Amino acid sequence: MRHRIHLALFAVIAPLACGGDDPAAPPPADASIDAPPMDVPADVPITGPARFSVEHYDYDLDLESRRATARLRVRLSTGGDCLALPFRPEAAEEVTLDGAPARDVAVAGGRLAACDPTGHGWAAGSTVTLSVSATLPTGTLRSTQVGFSTRRDLAGGTFTYLLSWVAQCDRFGPCDNDPGVFATYHFDVSHPSGTQVLCPGTITATATRTSCDFAFAGGPTYSTFGVMAGQRWVARSLGRAGKVALTLHDLPGSGVAEALDPSRVRGMLGFMSERFGPYPYGDALRLVVAPTTWAGFEHPGNIALAQTLASGNAEHTTFHEIAHQWAGDQSTIASVRDFVWKEAMAEYLAFVYESTRITEARGLLTARVWKDSSRSLRHHPVPTGDVAINDFYGSAYGPGPMVLFRQLEVRYSRDAVMGALQDLLGRPRALSLADVRQALERRTGADLEAYVRGWLVGEGAPTWPTARVERNTAADGAVTVTVNPHGSGRGMMFVVRVEGAAGERQDIPVDLGIDGSRPPTVTARPGFVVTRVTIDPDAQALVYEEPAPGSALAEPPPSTPWLAP
């Protein structure tokens, strides 16, 4: 996903139980004792809350009535006679277990509970099919498009979007909303004639019904629940990258097709495949232009792109979302607070592609936007306290790639950072921020625990390091740089560029060490009278010029032309 902000760029399934258990909590270490002993007669009922994982979702949706039926195949890890799952529609209808009406159905507190109608229960290892019907509400998550919504697109058509997100799939029926969860899926969508439906998986369609079968390994609920429907798309081939056919579903008048270089789009797909293994989702990747709130969203095999991207940076957004097919979809986040690595990794991989396959200047433009967009944030990228994800997620896009990857490649090398990413990606798994840190530690040989904590974790708005530069007018042009890291553990390395009136130039290195323990003051004598000073010209660190006494840290520029509005 690429967050659209005005000044920025732009597994293991957690089991659930009846009652008040945390839906993201792991089973207790002795969970197996809930299973009946081997010598218990087969006709003895197994009662109580069962723990289970969801293996498959079969989802029927009627676009006009908003009527949905979800059938979940679950596998029990401990026996019991009741199941419970997150569920946010107002009412559950036609609730069945293995085809029979369920007993003791209850919807309360954002959860659905249902019990075995036979009263016998199920043993550990059993599979059970839970079926629930509901009418989807039209409300969306505050400040986002998450939920079920309908909008008019720029070509005059109707765009309908079923959009999940982190911990949001239960808006559409019973769903394990842990972001570290994988499953397989089948979508059947009924729609008016003349409407095209795009959803993850292999698509088959008639005039009024579209099916999408998603049997790939590595489909997290936060992104695979993504159904898009419209009437005005014009399909344009972007060619093939190896065995993968790329298609742009554009809207007339969007200008997105003209803003994309197909060879560069194919090149990004090839860049990712070369380093992290084959494209995870078959032989098709669809780019879909629509009236979306976010600049892009990484549904597996279906990338949503905002219809306004031609006035921003359509290419960078597309590179970012292609990276997410591996970094975010095939490998997903383990928890809500791990959100930062997913967006940071997609940004960094797009940056490396731009720097090495397009031009170094193009990559540096991306890094400078990360830095500019980090200046005024409401939250740390990993906030402490009770902060909802739709309040803090926008704080990941600038400081995330700067801290986790850019600052480390400047110190240790790009090869070390890319090696860590190759250790992490390429197979279905849920990754925590700690997993990412440990992979970087193995490749760099550094202890990064204090570094990551000092830069990314905290309460409220972050205060970033500042630097003060003092110079004299003597012939040797003595320059003194003093850094205030505004926090412990904030190691950094960058340069201060000084220039003279006759075109002289020198870069003064500043290095506080990875843990911020080195002296914060550096003095240099460039040998000429310094007339111009630039702090960190190549966006190597989150450090800014210290404001004059009585003034605030300078705000970022009012606009960046190549960004989405």
Side-chain angles (χ1 to χ4, degrees):
M1 183 189 83
R2 283 192 71 239
H3 171 44
R4 186 189 302 201
I5 54 180
H6 293 290
L7 302 169
L9 317 158
F10 335 56
V12 176
I13 300 176
L16 298 158
C18 282
D21 292 356
D22 180 353
D30 60 350
S32 60
I33 65 174
D34 289 352
M38 294 300 293
D39 58 352
V40 173
D43 59 349
V44 173
I46 305 170
T47 60
R51 292 186 179 273
F52 57 91
S53 59
V54 182
E55 295 182 332
H56 181 75
Y57 294 87
D58 205 324
Y59 195 78
D60 286 358
L61 173 64
D62 186 286
L63 291 185
E64 292 188 293
S65 67
R66 308 195 317 278
R67 181 76 171 176
T69 298
R71 288 177 291 278
L72 285 63
R73 185 178 73 242
V74 307
R75 183 173 297 277
L76 275 63
S77 57
T78 64
D81 69 336
C82 291
L83 308 178
L85 276 162
F87 180 84
R88 272 189 267 184
E90 291 184 1
E93 303 172 20
E94 302 173 14
V95 181
T96 66
L97 288 163
D98 287 336
R103 170 177 58 87
D104 297 336
V105 175
V107 175
R111 292 169 68 83
L112 166 73
C115 298
D116 180 12
T118 70
H120 190 278
W122 312 282
S126 303
T127 59
V128 180
T129 298
L130 168 68
S131 179
V132 182
S133 296
T135 298
L136 302 186
T138 56
T140 56
L141 180 66
R142 175 176 54 83
S143 74
T144 76
Q145 207 169 356
V146 174
F148 185 92
S149 63
T150 300
R151 292 182 175 181
R152 206 52 121 175
D153 63 38
L154 60 80
T158 299
F159 173 67
T160 303
Y161 202 5
L162 183 144
L163 172 63
S164 183
W165 195 35
V166 179
Q168 298 292 322
C169 65
D170 52 310
R171 290 175 171 271
F172 315 122
C175 183
D176 187 342
N177 62 15
D178 188 314
V181 161
F182 291 115
T184 57
Y185 308 80
H186 184 87
F187 299 96
D188 278 311
V189 183
S190 299
H191 51 80
S193 180
T195 295
Q196 183 178 8
V197 170
L198 299 171
C199 41
T202 302
I203 298 176
T204 57
T206 66
T208 59
R209 192 167 182 85
T210 298
S211 296
C212 301
D213 191 58
F214 186 94
F216 304 107
T221 56
Y222 91 83
S223 61
T224 313
F225 271 97
V227 176
M228 296 179 279
Q231 301 90 32
R232 299 290 191 268
W233 288 314
V234 177
R236 305 181 185 214
S237 172
L238 299 181
R240 304 184 74 90
K243 297 180 180 179
V244 182
L246 289 98
T247 306
L248 174 66
H249 294 263
D250 199 8
L251 290 172
S254 78
V256 172
E258 293 75 18
L260 294 178
D261 182 333
S263 67
R264 290 179 176 177
V265 176
R266 295 193 302 269
M268 181 62 185
L269 194 63
F271 170 84
M272 293 297 297
S273 299
E274 291 164 12
R275 284 155 181 78
F276 307 111
Y279 169 66
Y281 303 115
D283 58 4
L285 176 58
R286 296 171 284 267
L287 311 180
V288 186
V289 179
T292 55
T293 298
W294 287 322
F297 196 95
E298 67 273 16
H299 304 296
N302 290 316
I303 290 173
L305 298 174
Q307 63 185 13
T308 55
L309 275 182
S311 61
N313 185 20
E315 275 198 343
H316 181 85
T317 299
T318 302
F319 300 158
H320 174 109
E321 303 305 337
I322 289 174
H324 268 321
Q325 301 296 296
W326 285 261
D329 286 338
Q330 186 186 43
S331 295
T332 189
I333 57 176
S335 72
V336 173
R337 287 300 191 269
D338 297 312
F339 184 86
V340 62
W341 79 249
K342 176 176 78 77
E343 299 306 328
M345 207 176 286
E347 273 301 301
Y348 179 73
L349 290 167
F351 157 80
V352 173
Y353 174 70
E354 291 167 342
S355 299
T356 58
R357 300 293 179 89
I358 302 178
T359 64
E360 185 178 1
R362 171 73 177 267
L364 285 177
L365 178 59
T366 292
R368 290 179 183 126
V369 172
W370 297 339
K371 185 169 177 174
D372 280 344
S373 68
S374 300
R375 288 190 174 192
S376 300
L377 302 177
R378 295 173 52 206
H379 299 282
H380 282 71
V382 185
T384 56
D386 185 16
V387 183
I389 187 170
N390 51 311
D391 287 325
F392 78 79
Y393 76 97
S395 298
Y397 294 83
M402 284 294 298
V403 170
L404 289 175
F405 307 120
R406 176 63 171 161
Q407 291 183 164
L408 295 180
E409 75 165 16
V410 168
R411 179 176 295 278
Y412 297 108
S413 80
R414 181 169 293 171
D415 285 345
V417 173
M418 287 295 289
L421 300 193
Q422 287 177 298
D423 294 340
L424 292 165
L425 302 180
R427 62 190 187 277
R429 60 191 302 198
L431 296 169
S432 67
L433 180 57
D435 293 327
V436 176
R437 172 180 60 78
Q438 289 162 9
L440 290 165
E441 287 178 335
R442 287 190 294 270
R443 289 288 184 158
T444 62
D447 182 347
L448 299 175
E449 184 173 2
Y451 168 85
V452 170
R453 184 175 61 251
W455 279 103
L456 297 181
V457 182
E459 182 178 2
T463 300
W464 301 121
T466 55
R468 181 178 72 255
V469 180
E470 299 172 350
R471 51 185 167 150
N472 63 39
T473 56
D476 65 357
V479 174
T480 299
V481 181
T482 303
V483 179
N484 182 352
H486 290 292
S488 61
R490 287 183 167 179
M492 69 192 85
M493 186 167 71
F494 63 97
V495 301
V496 172
R497 181 165 295 162
V498 294
E499 298 171 85
E504 306 97 329
R505 190 172 89 171
Q506 181 176 325
D507 286 347
I508 302 170
V510 180
D511 186 358
L512 272 63
I514 190 59
D515 57 358
S517 62
R518 294 183 184 175
T521 300
V522 174
T523 299
R525 290 175 172 80
F528 55 84
V529 176
V530 174
T531 59
R532 177 182 173 86
V533 174
T534 306
I535 295 173
D536 189 27
D538 293 333
Q540 296 177 323
L542 281 180
V543 59
Y544 302 89
E545 182 177 0
E546 183 175 298
S551 65
L553 183 65
E555 290 293 320
S559 65
T560 307
W562 56 270
L563 302 180

